[in-house]
Amino acid sequence: MFKGVALSVLASITFGVLYFYTQFLQVFDSQQTFGWRIISTLPFLTLFMFYSGDWVHVKAIFQRILEKPGLFLILIITSALTCFQLWIFLWGPMNGRGLQVSLGYFLLPLFLVLMGSIFFKEKLSKLQMLAVLCAASGVAHEIWRLGSIAWETMAVAIGYSLYFLIRKHIQTDNLGGFWWDILICIPVAIYFVQMGNAPFALFTENSYLWLVVAGLGLLSAIGLGSYILASRYLPMILFGLLSYLEPVLLALASLALGENINQDEWLTYIPIWCAVGILVVEGILHLYAQKRNAQNLIRNVENVQQRIEKNQP
């Protein structure tokens, strides 16, 4: 479980950096940025998978497609869902809607917790229940304050929830499934890259753009790869609750890009940050319990060995 928690935190930090990274992509429009993100992510993701040993999942899914071609149609659906999320993630901060998108990531863990309880019969610990209540109060305040929910917010919360649910159902909830989602989306990405007047001339006029695009792909591969791996190693409830770290970082990145939190919005963000703090405390307690159990196990083994030695003639 510790590995899953570490991967989730790494993914959240990387996404926060990536949100701020969009300021280096202003020369592109949001569609071109999305296209370059997909194209540049695939090679770095492939390298990431070779390093992590997850390339075997790509081959396994390809074998399943050969045996059941209908699986490819479902992969097209999951590809469309994930590519839409990758697009809106970059579109939000580039169009002054970063806080609305980040609120969707606030709602997402609540949807994941609900799904984990309903579809996978997962149980919440007392601290997790407290974290959910804190997070729910913050989200409820935002709904009360605005009187409605922005379409960007619901698109993130509902779209990502469906994505993870379908992937678990068809058993592609690994990096191999995500690699196929990106690969299927490559033709759409190429189309978006070619939009506008002389799109490739931008690289001639701004030679640094090649490095910027490469950095975009590297950050995307690390963040998305860690995120998908975390979803595999963690129960859906804990994975959902840990996801609250990401929107906090996205909100901070939005503030750094010039957006503002009004005075009446603090009652939204403070309970969310409290929820994250509770999860950190639970994680520390869990690690302490694991260490104590390991020490007790070693002590018991030593006692058994001493008894055996005493009873030997």
Side-chain angles (χ1 to χ4, degrees):
M1 182 175 291
F2 174 75
K3 185 176 182 180
V5 172
L7 286 168
S8 179
V9 172
L10 174 61
S12 295
I13 293 174
T14 305
F15 287 143
V17 172
L18 193 57
Y19 224 46
F20 186 77
Y21 193 81
T22 56
Q23 67 177 322
F24 301 114
L25 303 167
Q26 295 297 333
V27 67
F28 302 120
D29 60 29
S30 56
Q31 284 75 20
Q32 289 174 321
T33 302
F34 162 77
W36 282 119
R37 184 184 187 187
I38 295 296
I39 293 171
S40 61
T41 294
L42 188 61
F44 285 107
L45 179 64
T46 302
L47 291 174
F48 183 93
M49 293 177 65
F50 272 114
Y51 176 78
S52 64
D54 284 89
W55 185 251
V56 64
H57 297 298
V58 173
K59 298 179 181 179
I61 292 175
F62 180 68
Q63 186 62 39
R64 290 176 58 192
I65 292 173
L66 293 179
E67 297 173 356
K68 297 181 179 180
L71 175 62
F72 189 74
L73 297 178
I74 303 178
L75 288 177
I76 292 176
I77 296 174
T78 59
S79 177
L81 288 171
T82 190
C83 287
F84 175 76
Q85 297 301 328
L86 297 180
W87 170 79
I88 199 173
F89 181 90
L90 294 175
W91 176 88
M94 295 180 73
N95 291 273
R97 304 291 289 178
L99 288 176
Q100 286 77 12
V101 173
S102 68
L103 182 58
Y105 288 98
F106 283 144
L107 273 176
L108 175 59
L110 292 179
F111 277 75
L112 293 176
V113 167
L114 184 62
M115 287 170 50
S117 299
I118 295 175
F119 294 103
F120 302 103
K121 309 301 181 183
E122 296 176 357
K123 302 293 185 180
L124 279 77
S125 68
K126 292 181 179 179
L127 285 177
Q128 288 173 350
M129 289 181 182
L130 181 59
V132 168
L133 289 175
C134 288
S137 65
V139 173
H141 174 266
E142 184 69 8
I143 295 174
W144 172 81
R145 187 183 68 85
L146 295 176
S148 62
I149 292 293
W151 70 266
E152 300 96 334
T153 300
M154 295 309 297
V156 170
I158 296 176
Y160 250 137
S161 297
L162 288 175
Y163 175 67
F164 284 113
L165 182 61
I166 294 174
R167 280 166 55 89
K168 277 191 174 291
H169 181 70
I170 64 175
Q171 297 180 346
T172 60
D173 52 335
N174 51 55
L175 279 180
F178 180 69
W179 187 90
W180 278 100
D181 289 340
I182 296 296
L183 179 67
I184 293 171
C185 195
I186 286 293
V188 178
I190 293 174
Y191 171 76
F192 281 144
V193 162
Q194 295 178 343
M195 294 177 65
N197 296 323
F200 295 101
L202 295 172
F203 290 89
T204 303
E205 299 170 0
N206 306 280
S207 57
Y208 68 91
L209 282 181
W210 291 110
L211 292 176
V212 172
V213 169
L216 177 65
L218 178 61
L219 288 172
S220 296
I222 293 174
L224 294 167
S226 300
Y227 192 60
I228 297 299
L229 285 176
S231 70
R232 186 179 69 186
Y233 290 124
L234 295 172
M236 181 163 283
I237 285 177
L238 183 56
F239 173 64
L241 290 173
L242 280 171
S243 298
Y244 272 120
L245 179 59
E246 179 184 339
V248 170
L249 295 176
L250 297 186
L252 293 176
S254 297
L255 293 174
L257 292 173
E259 298 186 43
N260 297 310
I261 295 179
N262 297 324
Q263 185 174 358
D264 59 346
E265 293 178 319
W266 285 108
L267 288 179
T268 296
Y269 289 95
I270 290 176
I272 298 296
W273 294 336
C274 289
V276 174
I278 292 170
L279 292 178
V280 171
V281 171
E282 185 185 46
I284 294 173
L285 293 175
H286 178 76
L287 291 176
Y288 174 76
Q290 277 191 328
K291 182 179 180 180
R292 185 178 59 185
N293 291 336
Q295 291 175 341
N296 290 337
L297 179 61
I298 293 174
R299 192 177 297 111
N300 291 335
V301 171
E302 291 176 347
N303 290 336
V304 170
Q305 289 177 342
Q306 291 176 356
R307 291 174 183 174
I308 292 174
E309 292 173 356
K310 288 181 179 180
N311 292 330
Q312 286 180 347

